[in-house]
């Protein structure tokens, strides 16, 4: 058994994980990072448009401040967010972004040499600091450069299998070494999950092929840790048809517009009171687009109906400098030159607001010494709809916060319930699981079951939801959960086996999907991205609360509980998008 | 749609052959998925972003290094041969380990900012054209294509076009210390750096991010000579 020990262990080498690692290593503690892929391939790399921070450094942003950022975020969340946490990150934002500049991030600049900012959906000021339209790539490179400077070891090509814990205190994890095919144990005094979102639960998603929600599923499988708001899933308005590759909201922030089959701007029909209805929040724009398509204003294509995104009106110079990535993606993937042609777009799954429920300091509910940061967590900055540019902010703010908090733990040196016996038991359990799988007792095809899960969520738990479909989804997913336990592999080696890797994560994914469907069925109101056709209005009297989904091992269905949502500064009111339903 | 004949390298000069019905807008990556899910789940390849921003799926397609996600089958003949990238250690079938090469390269060049002053918490001014140039230098996705396609990088100690991009990026950054910049000039002005390039141009031909590497290498050689001459005159 290969075993590694460090003061802190971080699972995931994207922005949130690496930001936490830097915070802890800078204090002189030892840190190990394990990651599914080389760090610069993490999904943070795919963020395009920018990071929100009220920098208040130019004429256009002169009257911006954390409070306006706060109000925008809470309205965007449809009052689902934890206002204490939103306040914290909005206040932290300017300094954290400037720290990236100090580390060397190549932010786009204004003529005066200040960090430039662009407009984004739901943001009442231009507040997104950006690097052309590859902001995630630039931030991740720079953060990873700091990790290299600090010589923090990263164990790549490791798939998280389980958490090891004793007396409700985490002591380590097991992971599959994808190259060798062996199970390894990583132990630490504190552990931070930073494994990213679960977009791959859906058929059509902008997410990378690694966004399986591994950390979230593994935490859920303990039965002790709840997933917060599993019904809260974001669909991004502008994704390429076909492929669902993201086209940044920055396109509309910079002045691009959505058009229908007649070349007409239509967003004003759905948000008539907004000055620029193309920049309503993502949930509102996605719904409006689908309503417009249902009214037969979509453009027919072999890949289903779509609408157009027009950025050619921004001109060649603008596209080549500020939207260069979009330019390349359109030419390479849909054979469209956006300088001269419209871009075919349709909403796709984009972000999981849901995640491992954490408290104000990113500490995980239900297990001590465990933190969760970034998209895998529900710190609850985003509630039921995330604003663009707030995900990058969350990664660095959570990484920073969890890093600080983990450091405090390590300084205190309080005794950990470390147990060699427990580690040996968990290692045995995972080894047995691997053996059982490769013995091929089942009969289900792993890819078949996976596609069924994706299809069920896509068709029945999408942008528009209703009771009978949600009931069908729950029933179907409960059956699929069972099937994930009876997989028959075509290829039985444990090293370098894509089929096995999927088979190992599939039971957890099915459970997560079931939480999503069940929570969506129970929430009888519409809030943010959770839209019930049979309950089209927000219902603060009954539903101003957060879902907590638990999945104990002996259960067939998740146990759903609720907790109150923290309202500190902005009481529930109108979001200000004037959405016509 | 055509019936594609696909040969996939399986290590030790062995190949597996598959026959696949072509689909509209099928990339080589989707072709691999099709084979994995319906014909042979033992084939191994890596892919992450499927939108040419991570570089993980670089393979040799009919002898040419390309990203599997970006290459459409419609641009290829019906006989398609897929092999791992040259130069990098093989993991299995089409997957190679490029990360070690890039980690060592980054560590050797110390591709991070060596600050000359502490963090002030305030906005630092940087001219628009300087940040634009840094951005351009940082678009590399470490796919390894320019390394494996380049005879100089493969068979001599030339650090590759990607390596020179990295060195130049941190040389051009005014936030980096003078001392760190001088180290980068020294390595760039050597056979490992800009002087090691043989001018083959394969890097630019195959770069999936369309970075004009040949032009940038030529311009950089001029800039480095200027910098060295400036220092001589100062002495």
């Amino acid at each position: 058994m290969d075993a590694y020990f460090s003061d802190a262990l971080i699972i995931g080498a994207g922005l949130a994980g690496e930001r936490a690692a830097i915070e802890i290593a800078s204090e002189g503690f030892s840190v190990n990072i394990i990651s599914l892929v080389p760090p610069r391939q993490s999904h943070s790399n795919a963020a395009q448009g920018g990071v929100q921070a009220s920098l208040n450094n130019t004429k256009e942003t002169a009257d911006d401040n954390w409070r306006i950022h706060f109000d925008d975020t809470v309205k965007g969340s449809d009052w689902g967010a934890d206002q204490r946490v939103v306040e914290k990150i909005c206040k932290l934002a300017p300094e954290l972004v400037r720290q990236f500049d100090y580390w060397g991030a190549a932010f786009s600049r204004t003529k005066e040499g200040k960090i430039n900012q662009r407009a984004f959906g739901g943001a009442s000021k231009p507040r997104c600091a950006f690097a052309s339209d590859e902001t995630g790539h630039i931030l991740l490179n720079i953060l990873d450069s700091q990790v290299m400077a600090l010589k923090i070891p990263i164990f790549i090509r490791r798939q998280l299998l389980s958490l090891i814990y004793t007396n409700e205190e985490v002591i380590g994890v097991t992971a599959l070494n994808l190259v060798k095919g062996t199970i390894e144990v990583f132990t630490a005094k504190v552990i931070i999950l930073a494994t990213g979102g679960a977009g791959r639960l859906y058929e059509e998603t902008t997410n990378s092929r690694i966004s399986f929600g591994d950390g979230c599923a593994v935490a859920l499988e303990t039965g002790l840790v709840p997933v917060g708001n599993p019904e809260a899933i974001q669909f991004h308005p502008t994704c390429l048809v076909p492929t669902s590759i993201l086209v940044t909201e920055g396109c509309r922030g910079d002045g691009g517009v959505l058009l229908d089959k007649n070349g007409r701007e239509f967003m004003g029909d759905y948000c008539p009171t907004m000055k620029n209805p193309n920049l309503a929040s993502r949930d509102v724009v996605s719904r409006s687009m689908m309503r417009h398509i249902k009214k037969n204003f979509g453009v027919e294509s072999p890949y289903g109906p779509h609408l157009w995104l027009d950025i050619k009106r921004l001109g060649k110079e603008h596209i080549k400098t500020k939207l260069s990535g979009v330019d390349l993606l359109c030419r390479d993937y849909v054979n469209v030159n956006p300088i001269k042609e419209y871009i075919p777009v349709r909403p796709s799954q984009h972000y999981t607001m849901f995640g491992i429920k954490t408290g104000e300091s990113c500490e995980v509910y239900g297990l001590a010494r465990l933190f969760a940061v970034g998209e895998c967590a529900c710190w609850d900055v985003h509630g039921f709809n995330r604003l663009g540019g707030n995900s990058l902010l969350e990664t660095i703010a959570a990484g920073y916060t969890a890093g600080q908090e983990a450091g405090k733990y390590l300084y205190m040196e309080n005794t950990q319930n470390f147990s060699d016996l427990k580690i040996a038991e968990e290692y045995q359990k995972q080894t047995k699981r691997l053996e059982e799988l490769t013995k091929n007792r089942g009969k289900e095809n792993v890819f078949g079951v996976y596609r069924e899960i994706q299809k069920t969520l896509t068709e029945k738990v999408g942008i528009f939801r209703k009771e009978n479909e949600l009931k069908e989804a729950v029933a179907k997913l409960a059956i699929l959960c069972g099937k994930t336990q009876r997989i028959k592999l075509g290829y039985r080696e444990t090293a370098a086996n894509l089929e096995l890797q999927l088979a190992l994560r599939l039971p957890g994914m099915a459970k997560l999907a079931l939480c999503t469907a069940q929570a969506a069925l129970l929430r009888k109101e519409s809030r943010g991205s959770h839209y019930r056709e049979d309950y089209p209005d927000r219902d603060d009297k009954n539903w101003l609360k957060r879902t907590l989904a638990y999945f104990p091992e002996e259960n067939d269905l998740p146990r759903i509980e609720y907790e109150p949502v923290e309202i500190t500064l902005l009481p529930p009111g109108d979001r200000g998008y004037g959405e016509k339903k | 749609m055509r019936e594609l004949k696909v040969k996939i390298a399986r290590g030790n000069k062995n190949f597996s052959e598959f026959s696949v019905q072509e689909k509209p807008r099928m990339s080589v990556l989707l072709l691999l998925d099709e084979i994995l899910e319906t014909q042979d789940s033992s084939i191994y390849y890596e892919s992450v972003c499927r939108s040419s921003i991570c570089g993980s799926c670089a393979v040799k397609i009919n002898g040419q290094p390309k990203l599997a996600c970006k290459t459409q089958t419609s641009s290829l003949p019906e006989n398609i041969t897929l092999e791992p990238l040259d130069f990098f250690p093989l993991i299995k079938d089409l997957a190679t380990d490029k990360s070690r090469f890039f980690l060592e390269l980054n560590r050797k060049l110390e591709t991070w900012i060596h600050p000359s002053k502490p963090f002030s918490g305030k906005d630092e001014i940087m001219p628009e054209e300087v940040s634009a140039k840094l951005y351009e230098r940082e678009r590399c996705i470490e796919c390894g294509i320019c390394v494996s396609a380049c005879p100089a990088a493969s068979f001599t100690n030339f650090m590759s076009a990607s390596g020179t991009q990295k060195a130049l990026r941190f040389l051009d950054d005014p936030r980096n210390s003078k001392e760190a910049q001088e180290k980068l000039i020294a390595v760039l002005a050597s056979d490992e750096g800009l002087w090691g390039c043989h001018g083959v141009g394969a890097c630019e031909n195959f770069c999936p991010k369309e970075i004009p590497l040949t032009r940038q290498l030529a311009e950089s050689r001029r800039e480095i000579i200027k910098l060295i001459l400036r220092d001589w005159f100062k002495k």
Side-chain angles (χ1 to χ4, degrees):
Chain A
M1 175 176 98
D2 287 325
Y4 304 88
F5 175 77
S6 52
D7 289 329
L9 171 67
I10 295 169
I11 323 293
L15 281 172
E18 287 205 330
R19 185 62 189 80
I22 289 167
E23 207 57 33
I24 300 169
S26 304
E27 292 293 314
F29 297 109
S30 66
V31 180
N32 281 338
I33 303 180
I34 68 173
S35 173
L36 207 46
V37 293
R40 294 181 187 200
Q41 293 176 8
S42 306
H43 187 56
S44 305
N45 179 47
Q48 296 179 358
V51 49
Q52 285 217 40
S54 55
L55 295 179
N56 188 355
N57 62 345
T58 60
K59 212 161 44 179
E60 297 75 31
T61 64
D63 51 353
D64 198 14
N65 57 47
W66 74 265
R67 182 58 209 262
I68 303 175
H69 184 183
F70 172 95
D71 285 0
D72 289 346
T73 303
V74 172
K75 287 176 188 167
S77 80
D78 219 352
W79 278 270
D82 181 332
Q83 296 193 7
R84 296 167 308 173
V85 182
V86 178
E87 178 177 346
K88 184 196 284 245
I89 73 154
C90 293
K91 284 179 171 169
L92 278 172
E95 180 152 332
L96 289 176
V97 167
R98 288 193 172 103
Q99 188 176 35
F100 266 87
D101 193 46
Y102 173 74
W103 283 334
F107 285 117
S108 295
R109 299 278 161 165
T110 63
K111 294 261 174 299
E112 298 75 38
K114 305 274 190 143
I115 297 174
N116 202 356
Q117 290 150 88
R118 60 163 43 125
F120 244 57
S124 49
K125 305 279 171 194
R127 191 187 295 127
C128 261
F130 62 98
S132 188
D133 56 358
E134 295 184 331
T135 314
H137 174 70
I138 260 63
L139 295 187
L140 186 57
N141 272 4
I142 280 301
L143 200 61
D144 191 49
S145 79
Q146 289 296 310
V147 168
M148 276 194 262
L150 288 165
K151 299 190 169 60
I152 300 170
I154 307 185
F155 298 76
I156 59 168
R157 299 189 173 93
R158 295 333 200 255
Q159 179 176 334
L160 178 66
L161 295 179
S162 69
L163 294 170
I164 312 173
Y165 52 92
T166 158
N167 299 331
E168 296 178 10
E169 193 176 74
V170 75
I171 54 176
V173 307
T174 62
L176 179 70
N177 180 321
L178 301 184
V179 177
K180 288 189 189 163
T182 53
I183 291 169
E184 297 171 338
V185 169
F186 292 83
T187 57
K189 295 177 191 164
V190 292
I191 296 176
I192 301 179
L193 294 166
T195 52
R200 286 280 153 182
L201 286 172
Y202 281 77
E203 231 167 13
E204 288 193 352
T205 174
T206 62
N207 284 197
S208 292
R209 296 163 151 239
I210 50 172
S211 301
F212 294 110
D214 286 353
C216 196
V218 160
L220 181 68
E221 283 180 313
T222 63
L224 301 170
V225 176
V227 171
N229 287 339
E231 66 273 43
I233 287 162
Q234 178 162 81
F235 297 84
H236 194 289
T238 57
C239 311
L240 289 182
V241 179
T243 69
S244 297
I245 292 171
L246 174 69
V247 181
T248 176
E249 191 167 296
C251 290
R252 283 170 289 134
D254 291 1
V257 296
L258 290 163
L259 303 174
D260 64 16
K261 70 173 180 187
N262 302 319
R264 188 177 148 268
E265 281 187 48
F266 61 88
M267 274 306 299
D269 302 358
Y270 299 93
C271 299
T273 56
M274 277 193 83
K275 206 160 78 185
N276 182 358
N278 283 285
L279 282 182
S281 62
R282 288 175 177 173
D283 56 334
V284 171
V285 178
S286 287
R287 273 195 294 275
S288 304
M289 287 170 76
M290 294 315 291
R291 287 183 180 121
H292 207 55
I293 286 175
K294 276 184 188 167
K295 286 184 195 158
N296 214 15
F297 286 108
V299 183
E300 291 307 321
S301 86
Y303 318 101
H306 63 76
L307 294 156
W308 299 117
L309 173 64
D310 172 14
I311 60 167
K312 63 182 190 178
R313 60 179 65 201
L314 303 177
K316 185 176 174 183
E317 170 66 20
H318 186 98
I319 293 173
K320 288 286 180 189
T321 55
K322 295 205 169 65
L323 298 167
S324 53
V326 167
D327 176 39
L328 199 59
L329 289 172
C330 289
R331 284 187 284 124
D332 286 344
Y333 290 92
V334 288
N335 208 13
V336 160
N337 176 356
I339 294 164
K340 293 186 178 145
E341 298 166 283
Y342 297 149
I343 307 167
V345 292
R346 185 172 60 216
S348 280
Q349 195 284 343
H350 180 58
Y351 189 86
T352 43
M353 272 80 72
F354 76 62
I356 304 159
K357 187 68 195 87
T358 56
E360 261 184 286
S361 309
C362 303
E363 75 283 10
V364 169
Y365 282 26
L367 275 175
R369 293 177 183 267
L370 184 63
F371 297 83
V373 290
E375 195 178 340
C376 79
C378 176
W379 199 14
D380 227 356
V381 177
H382 313 302
F384 281 78
N385 174 68
R386 174 173 72 75
L387 292 191
N390 267 351
S391 57
L392 284 184
L393 173 58
E394 184 192 4
T395 61
I396 59 178
Y400 167 80
T401 304
Q404 289 258 318
E405 206 61 26
K408 281 186 212 161
Y409 244 93
L410 294 171
Y411 274 119
M412 283 193 297
E413 285 272 346
N414 44 6
T415 349
Q416 188 177 19
N417 289 306
F418 201 81
S419 158
D420 287 331
L421 183 69
K422 198 79 203 174
I423 292 167
E425 266 176 32
E426 187 59 33
Y427 176 78
Q428 286 307 327
K429 188 177 158 192
Q430 294 302 324
T431 308
K432 191 145 178 272
R433 193 175 155 214
L434 214 55
E435 277 171 17
E436 287 294 313
L437 249 177
T438 48
K439 269 186 199 152
N440 259 349
R441 294 226 170 86
K443 56 179 176 31
E444 302 294 339
N445 176 286
V446 62
F447 301 110
V449 177
Y450 175 46
R451 298 291 172 215
E452 283 282 301
I453 294 171
Q454 287 184 313
K455 201 165 157 250
T456 308
L457 279 189
T458 304
E459 288 176 359
K460 301 186 194 298
V461 200
I463 296 176
F464 297 104
R465 303 168 176 184
K466 50 179 179 256
E467 176 135 339
N468 58 339
E469 288 184 357
L470 292 169
K471 275 186 177 156
E472 285 164 25
V474 170
K476 176 92 193 173
L477 288 166
I479 295 168
L480 289 168
C481 264
K483 288 190 179 182
T484 63
Q485 305 288 350
R486 299 188 297 273
I487 294 295
K488 180 183 173 69
L489 294 177
Y491 179 58
R492 290 149 68 170
E493 292 298 319
T494 57
N497 183 346
L498 291 167
E499 193 185 14
L500 174 77
Q501 290 165 22
L502 185 56
L504 285 167
R505 54 167 62 98
L506 213 50
M509 287 183 80
K511 284 183 176 171
L512 262 183
L514 194 46
C515 289
T516 294
Q518 176 78 351
L521 172 65
L522 295 179
R523 185 174 283 273
K524 294 187 161 78
E525 65 154 354
S526 290
R527 186 179 294 272
S529 64
H530 171 71
Y531 187 82
R532 288 282 301 256
E533 288 181 308
D534 38 1
Y535 302 93
D537 297 316
R538 198 175 80 201
D539 174 5
D540 290 328
K541 190 160 160 265
N542 296 304
W543 287 102
L544 189 57
K545 53 190 182 185
R546 182 178 299 117
T547 308
L548 299 177
Y550 293 84
F551 217 128
E553 205 174 347
E554 63 279 7
N555 277 31
D556 294 327
L557 283 178
R559 186 179 82 238
I560 304 287
E561 296 177 6
Y562 296 94
E563 67 171 10
V565 174
E566 305 70 12
I567 307 288
T568 55
L569 294 172
L570 192 65
D574 179 41
R575 299 176 84 191
Y577 313 131
E579 182 186 11
K580 271 173 69 179
K581 288 171 180 170
Chain B
M1 288 279 120
R2 302 174 296 173
E3 182 89 4
L4 302 172
K5 303 276 173 229
V6 187
K7 276 173 76 177
I8 296 179
R10 305 305 300 270
N12 296 323
K13 297 188 177 146
N14 293 322
F15 286 85
S16 295
E17 293 187 29
F18 304 95
S19 184
V20 181
Q21 193 64 39
E22 192 175 29
K23 289 180 182 163
R25 292 215 72 81
M26 187 182 226
S27 64
V28 170
L29 184 56
L30 292 178
L31 172 73
L32 284 167
D33 287 350
E34 179 88 18
I35 294 170
L36 176 83
E37 294 188 21
T38 63
Q39 299 193 35
D40 183 350
S41 57
S42 74
I43 62 164
Y44 201 68
Y45 53 97
E46 291 189 336
S47 66
V48 179
C49 74
R50 62 83 171 86
S51 55
S52 47
I53 57 166
C54 81
S56 65
C57 68
V59 291
K60 272 200 317 188
I61 301 172
N62 289 346
Q64 300 192 334
K66 289 178 174 177
L67 294 183
C69 68
K70 176 169 158 166
T71 309
Q72 300 292 317
T73 55
S74 58
S75 71
L76 301 168
E78 62 184 36
N79 290 307
I80 300 174
T81 303
L82 303 175
E83 297 165 274
L85 282 188
D86 292 328
F87 181 74
F88 298 104
L90 183 68
I91 293 174
K92 182 174 180 275
D93 300 343
L94 301 180
T96 50
D97 182 11
K98 299 171 288 195
S99 53
R100 184 171 297 275
F101 172 84
F102 283 106
L103 184 65
E104 281 168 11
L105 181 66
N106 280 309
R107 279 190 180 151
K108 184 182 153 90
L109 294 173
E110 299 194 355
T111 53
W112 51 83
I113 295 291
H114 303 65
S116 43
K117 56 180 182 184
F119 176 47
S120 70
K122 294 198 187 74
D123 243 27
E124 299 285 342
I125 301 295
M126 181 189 282
E128 200 182 2
E129 58 280 7
V130 174
S131 75
K133 196 169 170 188
L134 295 181
Y135 169 74
E136 199 50 40
R137 295 250 195 255
E138 205 162 315
R139 293 185 54 226
C140 171
I141 54 172
E142 301 189 350
C143 65
I145 284 177
C146 68
V147 186
S148 100
C150 171
S154 297
F155 302 114
T156 75
N157 60 356
F158 173 51
M159 65 169 75
S160 79
S162 170
T164 58
Q165 285 286 308
K166 289 172 185 301
L168 288 161
R169 187 247 174 268
F170 284 91
L171 172 62
D172 288 342
D173 198 319
R175 293 164 290 201
N176 210 358
S177 73
K178 191 98 193 87
E179 203 185 8
Q181 288 176 332
E182 273 164 10
K183 273 197 208 161
L184 289 170
I185 294 175
V187 67
L188 279 165
S190 75
D191 285 350
E192 281 180 83
L194 295 164
W195 273 239
C197 164
H198 294 185
V200 174
C203 51
E204 181 171 329
N205 273 345
F206 292 113
C207 175
K209 297 292 281 184
E210 300 181 359
I211 303 172
L213 292 161
T214 322
R215 197 191 74 216
Q216 288 188 8
L217 282 164
E219 282 174 5
S220 305
R221 274 194 286 269
R222 278 203 300 277
E223 278 169 37
I224 291 290
I225 291 173
K226 267 194 241 162
L227 283 175
I228 295 170
L229 288 176
R230 191 194 63 193
D231 285 354
W232 273 355
F233 284 122
K234 270 190 196 159
K235 280 167 195 163

